[in-house]
Amino acid sequence: MLDGLLILLVFQLAGEALVRWLGLPLPGPVAGMLLLLVALLGHSFFSDRVAPAANILIRHLTLLFFPIGVGIVLQWDQYAPHADALVLAIGGGTLLALPLVAALFRLMLGKNA
């Protein structure tokens, strides 16, 4: 499992380095995830190593949202002027994501059944 975490961190670092080196307009971790996706599609070595670490991270994903929530509460005076836009973005994004994820799930189940 430790090697899986190390692989995830190396890909995040590679994404950060790639974004800074090429000046890409996207976050480094996103570039790292794209690099990891390419590696996972190409080699089963990575999926066998990364899967246990990824499963643990996914199981405890809610813990990663606490710092964001605390930051918003502590800095609310900066976010208050944009509260309407935040509520619309979060609510609208959730309402849009739920049926899309459900449709994708049904599509994937239909292919495997």
Side-chain angles (χ1 to χ4, degrees):
M1 187 199 76
L2 199 55
D3 56 343
L5 280 173
L6 182 62
I7 290 170
L8 290 173
L9 288 173
V10 165
F11 274 97
Q12 181 175 356
L13 177 65
E16 291 282 353
L18 186 69
V19 164
R20 289 179 191 259
W21 184 55
L22 296 177
L24 298 174
L26 74 149
V30 173
M33 280 195 295
L34 292 174
L35 293 172
L36 179 62
L37 175 64
V38 170
L40 289 172
L41 291 174
H43 302 11
S44 64
F45 166 81
F46 288 112
S47 63
D48 294 340
R49 303 271 191 210
V50 170
N55 287 333
I56 289 175
L57 287 173
I58 289 171
R59 203 172 324 135
H60 301 293
L61 190 63
T62 55
L63 294 175
L64 300 176
F65 290 107
F66 283 127
I68 296 169
V70 169
I72 289 174
V73 168
L74 291 177
Q75 301 291 325
W76 181 248
D77 55 332
Q78 293 180 5
Y79 296 112
H82 309 290
D84 295 341
L86 286 170
V87 169
L88 182 64
I90 293 169
T94 301
L95 291 176
L96 184 65
L98 285 173
L100 289 175
V101 169
L104 180 63
F105 185 68
R106 292 182 88 194
L107 180 70
M108 292 180 76
L109 281 180
K111 286 184 178 181
N112 290 334

